[in-house]
Amino acid sequence: MINLILKDVLIQKNVILFYIATIIIYLFADVSPILIVPLYSLVFINMTFSYDEKDNANILLNSLPYTRKEIVTSKYVGALIFTALFIMITYGGNYLINGTETLFSWKAILLIIGLVMVAISFMLPVFYKFKRQYLVIASGALVGIYLVTIKFFVPNFNEKLRELTQKFITLQETQMYFIAIFTIVILYIGSWLLSIRIYERKAF
């Protein structure tokens, strides 16, 4: 399974420097790492599926000595590893550029990982069930809805989102964190099992 995760990294080796460069630009623009890391983690995962579809990699993978469960699991485990790498890159860069004192804020890191896990939980079953192009269309529609919302209905949406994030980070009730973590983990595991079920029934 490690080889499957490495494969997803190697197929994007030519754009990794681009990822790092644009992350640095966002940091100079004082964009919060809480927004940067989930964005790049999801783009990275999206691109792995894009390359797999483009090169018909699933046909090759299923001819190799990997079970379909291992192939799916590598995506879910890989998503967490890629997120951890982007956290280190982003927070390391943020520390060097802005000298922030909240470099190792565990609440912020938990929030980032939680956001990625929730997004992945919905994305991956869709990837395995449908072609990636359908998710691209859906994503475009969501972006359109977002732009219309902040333009005509909630002009200060981004500010409200920033305030909500700050409230979460400053929350002192440990029990709520455990409930949130437990819920997200159950969602992630459920999504993983669903993706395995979908992929095992798929014909290539």
Side-chain angles (χ1 to χ4, degrees):
M1 189 173 69
I2 297 298
N3 290 331
L4 293 172
I5 297 173
L6 287 175
K7 181 265 297 179
D8 288 338
V9 175
L10 291 175
I11 61 177
Q12 296 194 65
K13 64 180 184 297
N14 294 328
V15 293
I16 288 177
L17 288 178
F18 172 77
Y19 288 147
I20 294 174
T22 50
I23 286 173
I24 291 172
I25 292 173
Y26 279 126
L27 291 173
F28 272 115
D30 201 27
V31 178
S32 171
I34 294 173
L35 297 177
I36 295 174
V37 177
L39 172 64
Y40 278 85
S41 297
L42 297 178
V43 167
F44 195 93
I45 290 293
N46 183 48
M47 291 303 295
T48 63
F49 277 90
S50 177
Y51 282 113
D52 285 350
E53 280 189 9
K54 180 181 178 182
D55 300 329
N56 292 320
N58 284 308
I59 297 175
L60 175 61
L61 288 175
N62 282 279
S63 68
L64 297 174
Y66 297 112
T67 65
R68 294 197 174 191
K69 180 178 179 180
E70 288 176 324
I71 294 171
V72 173
T73 300
S74 70
K75 296 294 187 184
Y76 280 83
V77 174
L80 298 179
I81 293 174
F82 304 145
T83 301
L85 290 174
F86 279 119
I87 286 173
M88 288 188 286
I89 292 169
T90 304
Y91 272 81
N94 195 38
Y95 180 74
L96 293 174
I97 294 170
N98 300 317
T100 178
E101 297 178 358
T102 58
L103 177 61
F104 295 108
S105 170
W106 65 270
K107 292 181 180 179
I109 291 173
L110 275 182
L111 179 58
I112 289 170
I113 295 173
L115 290 172
V116 173
M117 289 178 70
V118 169
I120 291 294
S121 296
F122 290 101
M123 284 175 55
L124 263 58
V126 174
F127 276 142
Y128 284 115
K129 183 65 176 178
F130 305 104
K131 293 288 187 180
R132 194 185 65 89
Q133 65 189 43
Y134 294 112
L135 189 60
V136 172
I137 294 171
S139 299
L142 288 174
V143 170
I145 293 171
Y146 165 76
L147 293 175
V148 170
T149 299
I150 63 174
K151 178 68 175 178
F152 298 104
F153 301 106
V154 190
N156 60 340
F157 178 80
N158 290 331
E159 187 61 33
K160 288 182 178 294
L161 186 62
R162 187 184 295 271
E163 290 176 2
L164 183 63
T165 301
Q166 192 61 36
K167 285 181 181 179
F168 178 85
I169 293 175
T170 56
L171 195 64
Q172 300 297 324
E173 297 182 25
T174 307
Q175 186 177 1
M176 291 192 66
Y177 282 105
F178 282 118
I179 294 173
I181 291 170
F182 179 77
T183 303
I184 292 172
V185 169
I186 293 298
L187 176 65
Y188 203 71
I189 293 173
S191 172
W192 168 56
L193 295 175
L194 176 60
S195 293
I196 290 174
R197 185 180 180 87
I198 292 171
Y199 195 65
E200 285 180 338
R201 293 184 173 185
K202 209 166 188 179
F204 294 101

